[in-house]
Amino acid sequence: QADGTELCPLQYDELQRWRCDGRKSTAYMVQIGERWGVIDVNTREYIFEPIYDEISDDDECCSQSLRLGDKWGYIYLGESKKIVSDIIYDEIKCNSQIVAYRIGEKWGVHFILSPDSWAPEDGCAIENDGKVIDLFECKYDACESFCDIDYYLSLSLNSKCGYFRVSREDGSITTICEHKYDELYFDIGGMAAIRIGDKWGYIDGEGKAICEIKYDGVLLSAQPFYYDLPYLEFPRLMAVCIGDKWGFIN
């Protein structure tokens, strides 16, 4: 029952709901001066002390990036464990359990083993909640990730893109294709648009060709999304062109 009690001192210059932690409806990002932290208003305890210059706020991720000076790190909140990485990276890109990091000009990838992002068959939490796995060493020229049933990664090495699938459950890696494409862009269902030279084509989530690499252009995500029905029930449409003429393939 509301009685006007001040739960926290009126000391913050700015605050906003921290959407990352969906379990804590009372988690807020707070700013004191130029520094940011996260507090649980219910317990009046800091989840993260207000020492950071920037904290990301992506409600679709259980991991978030944070900045201190010109260096970045990442944070993770599990059911039983909190992780704060070293603040040593030049850039961070979080995608839930996948954390891509850049040191200098090279990228690597960490994987956070987390029961928050998948459902064990027995319904029990695993013991190594929040264990960080060094998934790909820091040697790649670029890294992009896409979240579907599993995670899909495009890693560029010596100007060629490879395609990899990472299991949500244990972080195991499946190589879909080695580094042979000039460009690779994710599409739904693990499919990817790929370019060799000046021609485009498509591969599926197993690396098998869906069509010839013969098109002059592609338009990603041509498939309309229906909010009331799963998109997988509808034909997957891919817009392609030869010259200045466009059409669709499935």
Side-chain angles (χ1 to χ4, degrees), residues 16-21 27-29 38 54-61 63-66 75:
Q16 63 188 63
R17 171 79 183 279
W18 197 46
R19 298 171 297 169
C20 165
D21 189 11
Y28 279 78
M29 294 173 57
V38 178
E54 187 175 345
I55 299 177
S56 65
D57 180 31
D58 186 345
D59 61 350
E60 296 183 355
C61 284
S63 59
Q64 302 287 329
S65 59
L66 49 84
I75 55 181

Side-chain angles (χ1 to χ4, degrees), residues 217-228:
V218 296
L219 180 62
L220 297 179
S221 300
Q223 168 64 47
F225 187 86
Y226 295 84
Y227 288 94
D228 55 343

